[in-house]
Amino acid sequence: MDVEGFGDQRRTNSHQLAVRAALYETLRQAFDEIGAPWEECDREDRGDAVFVLVPAQVPKAPFVDSLPQVLAAAVREHNRVHRSEERIRLRMALHAGEVAYDEHGVAAAAVNLTFRLLDAAPLRAALCESPGVLALITSDWFFDDVVRHCRVLDPATFRPVSVQVKETSTVGWICLPDHPYPSDPAQVTVRPVAGAGAQVPRQLPAPPRTFVGRDDELAALTALLEDRERPNGMVVIGGAGGIGKTWLALKWAHDNLHRFPEGQLFVDLRGFSPDGLPMSPAVAIRGFLDSLGLTHDRIPSDPHAQAALFRSIVADKSLLILLDNAVGTEQVIPLLPGSASCAVVVTSRSRLPGLATGHDACPLFLDVLTDHEARTLLTDRLGTTRAGAEPAVVDELVEFCRGFPLALSIVAGNAATHEGVPLACLAAELHEAGVEALDSADPAASLPAVFSWSHQALADDEAEAVVLVGLAPGPDIGLWAAASLVGTTVARARTLLRGLEEKSLVGHDGAGRYRMHDLVRRYVTETARGEAAVDGREDALRRIVDFYLHTAHAADKLLDPHREALRVTPAARGCLPLTMPDEAAALGWLDSEHTCVLAAQRLAVELGWNAAAVQFALAMHTFHWRTGRLDEQVAVGRLGLVAAERTGSTAVQALAHRALAEAHALLGRQAEALDHLQRALPLAERFGDPSGQAHVLRILAWAKSEQGEFRLALENIVRALRLFQSVEDEEWEARALNQTAWYFALLGHYEQAAPFVASALDLHRRHGNHNGEALSLTIEGFLAHQAGRHQEALRHGERALAMLRELGNIYFVAQVVDILGQVHAALEEGEDARRYWQEARDLYRVQNRVARAERIQRLLDGLGS
């Protein structure tokens, strides 16, 4: 057994220990359940894997017809209650044979073969592409002697693959126990020749059986890819979902296999897939490397190194690379070869203009079929006999579909599953379902047919839930959020979502998130908005908005318990906001739910829930600046200001202006920051809010310092410090003391700075503010550096850096490594200075702090090679 992605950088030591403990406990319980006592088995730990030798007298059949299902169920339950860093997906290899023992353990050809099976590229790819949690491979011998004779398991759900790992060249048999392949008896009679074509990938899916028209597009695709003067030979096939982009690409690829003797690579990037988030380019590259025959030990762990290795391998090869269902340019660029010898075909619902602008890709946009082509396609799928029996109805169906290939396929597929039903009944069902959108030029108009046929099987509560999920903010939804949305228990929400998943109305990514296909969502939202208001729909949206707001607020309090208190309006009845145990959980939730939280704020603005919209902007501030997402904080701040102005409240408007000003200031947009501060200060003064005035002055000081006006910055922070002291707010007094010390230091008044930072450090430690303490240590390090006490400066700086890294505060990590680079440069330790400055430059760039990044680059250039 091997854990997928055990060494993922997101897993800390504690995460890995938790995963190993769960793996062993799951195996122990599963073995005992199938009658193979765990304590009687010999076991060897392999770090991220477990090697188990089962006594010879234990029957072998349960290891394929029981154990995988038990393991998969246990792993799914583990994943349901654990965070993403501790979730598990497994590869499992099965073999049987003679083994030999000595004082060092066990050794045998059978053992070697089992490990080679576990490392086989097809097994890795199968698990990578599966929405499930387990991929199983058996040896050829085990399949013939055990799997073929199992009474429980269908051998036809296994797939034979060629295994090429190190010295091993053999055949293995793969199955996916919790998401099995379709039963195909022909598969069990097909055996790949071991070693044949191991380095020549043939990954193209089967071509479409029925393909009509597109002659001009096929000719254009050939012409574009034959133009050798264009670098990369790349074509982007764009068009609406279901317009036939993948069919066109596969048809052309299979017709032109002779052009690519060194293989064809294919990956579905799942950019608009209903069953999960878009595939990471790193995952796609890893699959390509496996298919090109690289063993595990030859593949570097770093994704950038993997991308470079991929480009090196395919350089000068005559390969076709088909990147299907891309979501955006950023997803495609890492997968592009560096050689013009490879042809690249990309399909996407977006036209991906970035590929045309930056990589000279040729666009090819697909439109609907002509009436003649549509009728030919439908007749081919229905059969000439059935279509000829009702020609007028066929014409009617063609008219409904308006040349849209997906709509035609839905009609034909439904007819095939209801062979005895007249076509006239299917046409009448389309009329009854109200498929008005099919009469428009919008290619997505086929969706109402899908929904109407699926909706008939829904219970009343499922029908209500599918509408609410479609209206929910964000691209997907977690279980607790869905429970709040529907206004029910988590257990009941899980049951409803599983029912919708079974009816293919939502997809589940295997990690606790549910996603509705974008076309289904479009139908649901447009239909819901066009109907009379359904009882409780506005209440449901209020619950989901409050879920994201109150959970974000709880997470924010964990990230910065010392910031000014944010008053959040009470949550709606039935809302189930989460509470998190620690800072790491808060960061993880905000990161995974970030898109949904921002969508919830937009929904609050749209529905006029202005107080909530303002509170979202405040609740996301700490997360955004600590993780360097300051552009997004500006965006939520702008929405918050729009909502604040709607309230007519002076206090709320002052708060919104101040929040937006701080985001601009942190991002380095000082002119915008000053504009909002000039509006916030008189509002705070008018409202008689000394704490609010102090915060405006604090941000104003920051903005002035970023403009190099250190004396004005000092004047403003001293005024803010006095105000914080007047209201006895020691938390913010400490932060203002830090700023005061820093501006004295920037003015060169190092002796005057020292007592302020010492007082700040004392207050931060008294209140347990580790973030503030780290900043105080940073300032003390800077003062020591300026005084020539460079070793002392390094001690303070490195301690501060460790604290900030642990807190996940990359905003100030950038500034600390900037200072550490200066200290090492002063010590004439060029390599250490380079290392710190390179990190500072990269972090500044990620945070869009352009001026600072450019300054660091100049320092790096000055170091020389």
Side-chain angles (χ1 to χ4, degrees), residues 458-659:
L458 296 178
D460 290 343
D461 54 355
E462 289 179 328
E464 180 182 355
V466 77
V467 171
L468 293 179
V469 171
L471 291 170
D476 55 14
I477 193 168
L479 186 58
W480 282 80
S484 293
L485 175 70
V486 180
T488 187
T489 64
V490 173
R492 181 57 186 156
R494 182 183 295 110
T495 300
L496 287 170
L497 289 168
R498 284 177 177 171
L500 297 177
E501 182 185 6
E502 290 170 0
K503 297 174 179 66
S504 300
L505 291 170
V506 300
H508 186 219
D509 67 356
R513 302 200 67 78
Y514 294 86
R515 173 177 287 256
M516 180 175 287
H517 191 287
D518 55 337
L519 294 179
V520 177
R521 179 186 290 271
R522 179 174 177 178
Y523 168 84
V524 168
T525 55
E526 289 183 356
T527 302
R529 288 169 183 163
E531 295 174 349
V534 173
D535 289 343
R537 186 169 298 167
E538 184 172 332
D539 291 341
L541 293 179
R542 183 77 220 202
R543 287 192 299 268
I544 190 68
V545 167
D546 281 356
F547 168 81
Y548 288 121
L549 174 59
H550 282 261
T551 307
H553 177 232
D556 179 65
K557 287 197 294 185
L558 282 169
L559 296 184
D560 190 355
H562 310 287
R563 66 174 294 190
E564 59 182 318
L566 168 62
R567 297 179 182 177
V568 182
T569 53
R573 184 176 181 180
C575 175
L576 303 172
L578 292 170
T579 56
M580 280 148 283
D582 52 36
E583 219 172 314
L587 280 170
W589 186 87
L590 287 167
D591 184 63
S592 63
E593 295 282 6
H594 185 251
T595 303
C596 292
V597 174
L598 300 193
Q601 188 203 23
R602 292 193 296 271
L603 180 61
V605 172
E606 178 185 335
L607 296 177
W609 297 334
N610 298 314
V614 176
Q615 291 157 10
F616 270 114
L618 302 174
M620 295 301 290
H621 171 78
T622 305
F623 173 74
H624 279 148
W625 76 258
R626 277 179 55 169
T627 56
R629 303 183 186 190
L630 292 169
D631 281 321
E632 288 164 316
Q633 182 58 29
V634 168
V636 300
R638 284 172 175 159
L639 282 178
L641 180 57
V642 169
E645 290 173 341
R646 289 177 181 173
T647 67
S649 166
T650 300
V652 173
Q653 290 175 44
L655 192 61
H657 276 296
R658 190 216 311 163

Side-chain angles (χ1 to χ4, degrees), residues 369-381:
L369 299 173
T370 66
D371 285 348
H372 173 73
E373 290 169 338
R375 186 175 291 101
T376 301
L377 175 59
L378 191 57
T379 300
D380 286 350
R381 293 286 303 275

Side-chain angles (χ1 to χ4, degrees), residues 654-819:
L655 192 61
H657 276 296
R658 190 216 311 163
L660 185 51
E662 187 160 16
H664 279 301
L666 290 169
L667 194 54
R669 299 173 182 169
Q670 307 313 328
E672 293 93 333
L674 291 170
D675 177 61
H676 288 288
L677 290 169
Q678 288 168 359
R679 302 183 190 189
L681 187 57
L683 290 171
E685 292 171 343
R686 189 188 316 163
F687 188 66
D689 178 13
S691 179
Q693 295 172 48
H695 280 292
V696 173
L697 292 167
R698 169 183 62 83
I699 301 165
L700 182 59
W702 178 275
K704 290 297 183 183
S705 74
E706 291 293 291
Q707 289 181 320
E709 300 180 40
F710 304 132
R711 196 165 300 281
L712 284 175
L714 182 60
E715 291 175 5
N716 282 292
I717 198 60
V718 168
R719 291 174 60 195
L721 175 60
R722 290 169 181 164
L723 286 168
F724 284 132
Q725 290 170 335
S726 72
V727 296
E728 298 181 348
D729 188 342
E730 286 192 346
E731 300 282 1
W732 281 100
E733 177 187 351
R735 300 184 194 205
L737 286 167
N738 263 348
Q739 277 186 259
T740 304
W742 183 240
Y743 301 147
F744 269 125
L746 292 177
L747 286 166
H749 304 324
Y750 306 125
E751 291 185 2
Q752 291 172 274
F756 285 96
V757 72
S759 298
L761 183 59
D762 178 65
L763 282 175
H764 282 312
R765 285 175 172 168
R766 189 190 311 168
H767 288 280
N769 186 343
H770 300 304
N771 191 79
E773 180 183 352
L775 297 184
S776 296
L777 289 171
T778 301
I779 298 169
E780 289 196 336
F782 181 77
L783 294 176
H785 165 56
Q786 295 299 326
R789 303 191 305 274
H790 301 308
Q791 294 301 326
E792 179 185 341
L794 289 178
R795 287 196 301 273
H796 285 310
E798 287 168 355
R799 184 177 175 193
L801 180 60
M803 296 175 71
L804 291 169
R805 288 197 197 279
E806 185 174 354
L807 291 167
N809 188 340
I810 69 167
Y811 185 89
F812 279 118
V813 164
Q815 294 184 228
V816 175
V817 294
D818 183 346
I819 294 171

